[in-house]
Amino acid sequence: MTSNRRRKAEIRTYQAATGVPYMEARRQTTLPTLAEVMEEHPLLNDFGIGAHDPWRKTAQQRREEIAADRVVLASHEGRVMEIVAWLRDNITPIKTPTFSSYGLKHVLERSPGGWYVTNGEFIAAALIAGYPYKHTAPNPLFGMSARDVRRLEQAAR
């Protein structure tokens, strides 16, 4: 979860003032920018985490691909923030990361009013929104409510 003690103290203060649960207080406090999230996660790019098919590429090819896809992701800040808003409106965070970013991006795409998003855009949005995560490449796991995910999947049918 949050490793920065100052950030935890801010969240606890906000929680005490508003009476909301810790996870909700965490989501409602100031969100990081896309640039801050990308700086914290140097392998995050439009594809996801790392390079596509990395075992078939040289280290130099992987670095070049990641660098090029990071430029693409950085240029989609508006789209990422739309996903952040959608996530905050539709899926409650939980402590245990269990859902893959790739599967969740498809939930968004198939939901009523959904639209196409890249895996990297979805990952960046979930990190900005403050969902707990477990780093796995290229598709991290996120702590999102199974009940909310099922509700969105049912609405898509």
Side-chain angles (χ1 to χ4, degrees):
M1 294 277 277
T2 309
S3 58
N4 183 327
R5 291 174 193 241
R6 183 175 300 142
R7 174 90 170 109
K8 280 185 181 180
E10 285 175 14
I11 295 167
R12 294 274 184 223
T13 302
Y14 182 83
Q15 179 187 20
T18 61
V20 298
Y22 181 85
M23 291 300 289
E24 186 64 25
R26 182 174 175 215
R27 289 179 72 209
Q28 291 178 2
T29 56
T30 306
L31 300 176
T33 65
L34 177 57
E36 291 169 339
V37 166
M38 289 180 70
E39 184 178 323
E40 186 177 333
H41 302 276
L43 296 178
L44 176 61
N45 62 75
D46 204 44
F47 166 71
I49 303 287
H52 176 68
D53 226 1
W55 51 88
R56 297 181 185 215
K57 297 176 180 151
T58 65
Q60 182 61 30
Q61 289 171 323
R62 289 192 301 268
R63 281 192 296 274
E64 289 170 0
E65 180 180 323
I66 290 169
D69 283 351
R70 284 177 65 80
V71 170
V72 172
L73 179 59
S75 70
H76 294 167
E77 186 164 11
R79 290 169 51 174
V80 170
M81 295 315 289
E82 288 175 21
I83 300 165
V84 170
W86 183 88
L87 285 170
R88 292 181 76 170
D89 290 344
N90 290 287
I91 302 180
T92 306
I94 63 169
K95 291 181 182 180
T96 309
T98 54
F99 286 103
S100 162
S101 63
Y102 192 74
L104 289 165
K105 104 180 190 71
H106 288 297
V107 169
L108 183 155
E109 291 170 350
R110 290 188 298 257
S111 70
W115 64 98
Y116 175 78
V117 300
T118 67
N119 192 34
E121 290 171 344
F122 187 89
I123 294 167
L127 292 170
I128 289 170
Y131 289 91
Y133 67 94
K134 180 178 180 184
H135 187 301
T136 57
N139 307 312
L141 301 177
F142 286 101
M144 296 187 181
S145 166
R147 180 179 295 146
D148 291 343
V149 172
R150 278 193 305 271
R151 175 183 47 78
L152 291 165
E153 288 173 338
Q154 289 293 326
R157 294 180 188 175

